[in-house]
Amino acid sequence: MQLHDVWFVLIAVLWTGYFFLEGFDFGIGVLTKLLARDRTEKRVLINTIGPVWDGNEVWLLTAGGATFAAFPEWYATLFSGFYLPLLLILVCLIVRGVAFEYRHKRSGERWQTNWEHAIFWASLIPAFLWGVAFANIVRGVKIDQHMEYVGSLFDLLNVYALLGGLVTLTLFTFHGAVFASLKTVGDIRDRSRALATRLGAVAAVLALAFLIWTQVSRGDGRSLIAMAVAVAALVAAIGCNLAGREGWSFALSGITIAAAVAMLFLTLFPNVMPSSLNEAWSLTVTNASSTPYTLKIMTWCAGVAAPLVMLYQGWTYWVFRKRIGTQHIADAH
């Protein structure tokens, strides 16, 4: 296996980690409108991710940085062609982070309501747009012989990509609902588990349609195995949620996300960005990669830094592992 193949796998792992962790973050943000009945319950939901949401976003920064360093042609074409959707995602992530920090700075009704709206929309929009973006990457976009995107924004708004957006939105919201039931106590825990069942059913229908479409159009034997794992894990996650086994349900919903991301990357390889104009113009792990020396240096750095970051993040989750409920929320100032 060449180093550019290794870095393709590592980038897939980074995106898997990001969607696994940030997925329930986005889901919690959406649930502040769908599940919470009052401001106290919104505070409970937000506090479940309060200590970890910013750490989860490190995976996105690492995935983007790794793509820039390991596959500069892929990074350049992706960010020029998907400029507006990615800019909107970036703005949402900024607004979302500010909303988490500023929401409680003042007690005014209008102030807190506006920031709560911001948390909801800045969670929902990226959860949808990430699915649109990755579906377009798998489907193929208009790339010419100079490795440049020559399509328009409307070329990205096709049926397959929009279905991919709905899959990530519903799957992340289901993932967040299971996480909420795992991290809360009392009535909100029961209602999050009931909502997770309904969300899981919707996500299962949409995901099955999307994954079958992907398999038929670009899949092979390896992607078929990943698809089977994703579907089986999602069904099992719904079943464990019904049985009140929140820990197993959360782990299985995470496996669903990981297997689905693995399937998308398996259908891509050895391409990193297929061209819908001419297959010969596609970006591949070979023609889009950095020099072997650059990849070698990156591999050494990643081998040292990555385990330390993962140990620290795991320790953070361990420290803040206990459940919370409305009784743990202090009265507002």
Side-chain angles (χ1 to χ4, degrees):
M1 180 180 286
Q2 301 294 319
L3 277 179
H4 50 66
D5 298 329
V6 172
W7 273 97
F8 179 85
V9 174
L10 291 177
I11 289 172
V13 171
L14 291 172
W15 280 111
T16 300
Y18 174 66
F19 287 141
F20 178 92
L21 297 172
E22 191 81 330
F24 68 76
D25 270 10
F26 289 143
I28 291 294
V30 174
L31 291 173
T32 57
K33 292 287 186 183
L34 300 183
L35 179 63
R37 291 176 174 173
D38 53 35
R39 178 147 295 140
T40 301
E41 290 192 348
K42 289 179 181 180
R43 292 172 65 188
V44 169
L45 290 175
I46 293 172
N47 285 355
T48 61
I49 61 172
V52 298
W53 68 266
D54 47 355
N56 293 344
E57 291 187 353
V58 171
W59 289 80
L60 173 61
L61 300 176
T62 309
T67 304
F68 172 78
F71 300 99
E73 294 289 351
W74 182 14
Y75 182 92
T77 305
L78 176 64
F79 276 79
S80 60
F82 292 34
Y83 181 80
L84 288 178
L86 293 178
L87 176 63
L88 182 56
I89 289 174
L90 177 61
V91 170
C92 286
L93 293 179
I94 293 172
V95 171
R96 185 168 170 267
V98 172
F100 283 140
E101 299 298 332
Y102 275 58
R103 176 188 54 85
H104 63 281
K105 297 298 184 183
R106 289 170 55 183
S107 59
E109 177 68 24
R110 183 175 180 182
W111 173 271
Q112 295 203 0
T113 298
N114 287 339
W115 286 122
E116 287 164 1
H117 287 321
I119 290 173
F120 172 76
W121 288 109
S123 299
L124 185 148
I125 293 172
F128 176 75
L129 288 181
W130 279 127
V132 173
F134 271 83
N136 273 299
I137 293 173
V138 172
R139 176 177 178 266
V141 293
K142 294 181 178 180
I143 300 175
D144 65 11
Q145 65 271 31
H146 304 295
M147 298 184 180
E148 295 181 359
Y149 179 75
V150 294
S152 66
L153 174 64
F154 295 103
D155 292 323
L156 303 178
L157 302 178
N158 52 80
V159 176
Y160 176 77
L162 294 176
L163 176 60
L166 291 176
V167 170
T168 52
L169 175 58
T170 55
L171 192 57
F172 289 169
T173 309
F174 167 70
H175 195 41
V178 174
F179 181 77
S181 66
L182 178 65
K183 289 289 291 180
T184 58
V185 294
D187 181 60
I188 192 171
R189 174 188 178 188
D190 297 332
R191 284 188 285 112
S192 62
R193 191 164 63 238
L195 180 59
T197 300
R198 298 193 294 272
L199 289 169
V202 175
V205 173
L206 294 174
L208 184 62
F210 177 76
L211 295 178
I212 290 175
W213 192 343
T214 303
Q215 178 64 29
V216 170
S217 59
R218 303 192 66 88
D220 56 16
R222 296 173 303 174
S223 62
L224 181 61
I225 294 173
M227 172 186 162
V229 172
V231 173
L234 181 54
V235 173
I238 297 172
C240 288
N241 178 71
L242 284 170
R245 303 295 298 272
E246 293 104 337
W248 281 103
S249 182
F250 180 72
L252 288 165
S253 66
I255 292 173
T256 301
I257 293 173
V261 174
M263 179 185 179
L264 296 182
F265 276 90
L266 285 170
T267 59
L268 270 179
F269 188 81
N271 296 324
V272 294
M273 223 173 158
S275 173
S276 59
L277 299 178
N278 188 329
E279 186 65 28
W281 297 343
S282 298
L283 300 183
T284 68
V285 293
T286 303
N287 65 21
S289 69
S290 294
T291 64
Y293 183 73
T294 300
L295 296 177
K296 184 177 180 180
I297 296 298
M298 289 175 59
T299 304
W300 279 105
C301 293
V304 174
L308 296 176
V309 173
M310 294 178 70
L311 284 172
Y312 171 76
Q313 192 167 23
W315 176 77
T316 303
Y317 275 91
W318 174 255
V319 170
F320 295 100
R321 66 189 182 277
K322 293 185 178 180
R323 296 177 182 267
I324 62 172
T326 54
Q327 68 272 24
H328 300 117
I329 302 298
D331 293 335
H333 296 296

